[in-house]
Amino acid sequence: MLNWLKKIAPPSGSTLERRLAGYPAYTLPHPGDGASLTPAQAQANLEALLTQRTARLEIVTALLRDEAGIDAAPALAGADPAPLLDALHTWMKEAMPALHDRHRELASTARWLASHRRGDELVFSFLGDLGLLLGELIVLGRPAFQWALDLDPRNRRAKMVSWQRPVLIAHRPDGSAVELDPEDAVVHRFIQPRGSALVLNEWGRMVQDARAGAYDRAL
């Protein structure tokens, strides 16, 4: 599964960029924003995520471990995710600005949504896997959240990037739904990696708030 690591320079001499050059691409059946997809294509994208979920988590956690010394295994086994979330935030203070500067031409929502996530756009496979990791931490701590398509017609009318994309959805006691889009949160930091992103651990807050049930109480 992780033979790709052997083809890349050893940790002592590698950089994140060199590792990403050999990062396995995520197979997205139908790139594009939600408005451009048919319901069948959107469903195929969701099924692809669910099918590849375990393999993608193995890939991204291996990179985090070998490149940044970040061990995601305890959190994915049910331990408190706070140390992992803090470590990710600290690493991303340097890693994400560098990634942005190296791929500045890709730093837009439109390029992300249209991306095939391979070749020159391979960075979006890595970013998507980080979003998957954050999402799985939420599901582990709050199983009410599950991966599903955003089919809320209000989001379609508002032209939300989540429309007809795989996101986390949970239902409140009153029957209303709350949607979280971890991948969008990661890509947003790639697009704007400086400023408040260097101070506020927004990924950590999203995960911990969701696990604590904060969104259950939202109006």
Side-chain angles (χ1 to χ4, degrees):
M1 178 81 62
L2 300 177
N3 290 335
W4 62 276
L5 284 173
K6 301 177 182 178
K7 301 177 183 179
I8 307 172
S12 59
S14 69
T15 64
L16 175 59
E17 191 61 38
R18 289 174 65 185
R19 284 187 176 276
L20 288 182
Y23 197 78
Y26 173 77
T27 303
L28 181 68
H30 303 286
D33 64 271
S36 70
L37 301 178
T38 67
Q41 288 173 331
Q43 183 63 32
N45 284 346
L46 172 62
E47 292 174 0
L49 174 68
L50 298 177
T51 299
Q52 300 179 69
R53 173 168 45 182
T54 299
R56 299 312 302 185
L57 286 173
E58 290 183 7
I59 290 168
V60 73
T61 55
L63 183 144
L64 293 175
R65 181 188 64 239
D66 295 333
E67 178 64 24
I70 296 174
D71 186 4
L76 287 173
D80 181 0
L84 169 59
L85 295 167
D86 289 344
L88 277 175
H89 178 61
T90 298
W91 184 54
M92 282 296 157
K93 288 181 182 181
E94 295 185 4
M96 196 65 90
L99 207 58
H100 167 91
D101 293 347
R102 176 65 178 82
H103 301 281
R104 193 179 300 272
E105 74 283 359
L106 300 179
S108 74
T109 300
R111 286 298 300 268
W112 160 47
L113 293 176
S115 171
H116 287 270
R117 309 185 184 210
R118 58 179 181 265
D120 293 341
E121 300 174 324
L122 186 61
V123 65
F124 289 121
S125 284
F126 170 60
L127 298 177
D129 289 345
L130 283 177
L132 174 64
L133 173 60
L134 296 178
E136 287 299 296
L137 293 175
I138 292 173
V139 173
L140 281 169
R142 201 75 175 179
F145 279 100
Q146 293 294 318
W147 294 104
L149 294 176
D150 174 11
L151 300 178
D152 188 331
R154 295 170 299 180
N155 292 341
R156 180 180 186 179
R157 291 193 295 270
K159 299 182 179 179
M160 300 287 288
V161 298
S162 59
W163 168 250
Q164 285 207 132
R165 284 187 41 255
V167 296
L168 288 178
I169 297 179
H171 293 279
R172 302 187 183 103
D174 64 2
S176 63
V178 57
E179 298 149 1
L180 297 178
D181 193 343
E183 183 180 12
D184 181 42
V186 172
V187 173
H188 179 76
R189 185 164 182 175
F190 168 67
I191 295 172
Q192 298 181 10
R194 296 179 172 88
S196 63
L198 298 177
V199 180
L200 302 177
N201 188 352
E202 295 175 347
W203 297 356
R205 181 174 180 178
M206 175 183 66
V207 171
Q208 296 288 45
D209 282 355
R211 289 170 62 103
Y215 299 107
D216 297 357
R217 300 185 293 272
L219 297 178

